[in-house]
């Protein structure tokens, strides 16, 4: 693929550099492809399975004019799973003296926590349930999004050095002014 103006990147809500990912994939450089994806997402294997690409990046693909758009969802899912199976690290966190509390461990909370850690910020997630993942764990059936995969992705994120406090519900177990 030699797109001069890869519109798929603009169709992706995260701005994934899909052309660069595909070029690394063509050269079987899966680690670099994963590194490019991990600049914008820490959930590529999950996004590849549940993101509505046909309405976003794949719809913007110029090859769609020939009914041959690139299966971006399959590429993301493959690279994300390959990275998990081969123990690729998301990144190595820098160190700062800041600390942030993230409330909830759904996709947004996990992503927020991971990107904060990437920038060296100490993170604690307060989760109201005794399992992490939110919608990923409770709202999507296993046949659509395997829970084993979700657990591996979550573990990779938590292993960045993110602390978790389970069974902590905002307004019930703590108030904002208690943690500020």
């Amino acid at each position: 693929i030699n797109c001069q103006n890869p519109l798929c990147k603009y169709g992706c809500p995260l701005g994934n550099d899909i052309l660069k990912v595909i070029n690394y994939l063509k050269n079987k450089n899966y680690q670099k492809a994963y590194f490019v994806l991990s600049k914008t997402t820490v959930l590529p294997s999950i996004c590849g399975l549940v993101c509505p690409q046909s309405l976003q990046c794949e719809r913007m693909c110029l090859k769609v004019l020939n009914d041959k758009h690139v299966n971006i969802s399959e590429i993301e899912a493959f690279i994300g799973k390959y990275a998990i199976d081969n123990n690729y690290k998301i990144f190595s966190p820098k160190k700062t003296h800041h600390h942030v509390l993230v409330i909830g461990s759904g996709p947004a909370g996990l992503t927020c926590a991971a990107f904060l850690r990437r920038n060296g910020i100490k993170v604690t997630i307060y989760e109201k349930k005794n399992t992490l993942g939110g919608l990923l764990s409770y709202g999507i059936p296993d046949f659509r999004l395997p829970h084993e995969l979700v657990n591996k992705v979550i573990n990779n994120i938590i292993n960045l050095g993110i602390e978790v406090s389970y069974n902590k519900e905002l307004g019930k177990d703590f108030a904002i002014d208690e943690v500020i």
Side-chain angles (χ1 to χ4, degrees), residues 44-49 72-82:
S45 55
I46 292 172
C47 289
L49 294 174
I72 296 166
S73 58
E74 291 179 24
I75 292 169
E76 286 186 17
F78 169 78
I79 292 172
K81 185 172 180 336
Y82 189 90

Side-chain angles (χ1 to χ4, degrees), residues 75-93:
I75 292 169
E76 286 186 17
F78 169 78
I79 292 172
K81 185 172 180 336
Y82 189 90
I84 288 170
D85 292 345
N86 289 280
N87 297 314
Y88 292 170
K89 300 298 177 210
I90 297 171
F91 45 77
S92 298

Side-chain angles (χ1 to χ4, degrees), residues 16-47:
N16 287 337
D17 192 344
I18 296 159
L19 182 60
K20 191 178 276 188
V21 169
I22 290 171
N23 286 326
Y24 282 130
L25 185 62
K26 283 186 345 189
N27 294 316
K28 297 186 182 347
N29 194 333
Y30 306 128
Q31 192 163 17
K32 282 191 177 180
Y34 178 69
F35 176 74
V36 170
L37 276 178
S38 70
K39 287 182 179 180
T40 51
T41 181
V42 293
L43 307 169
S45 55
I46 292 172
C47 289

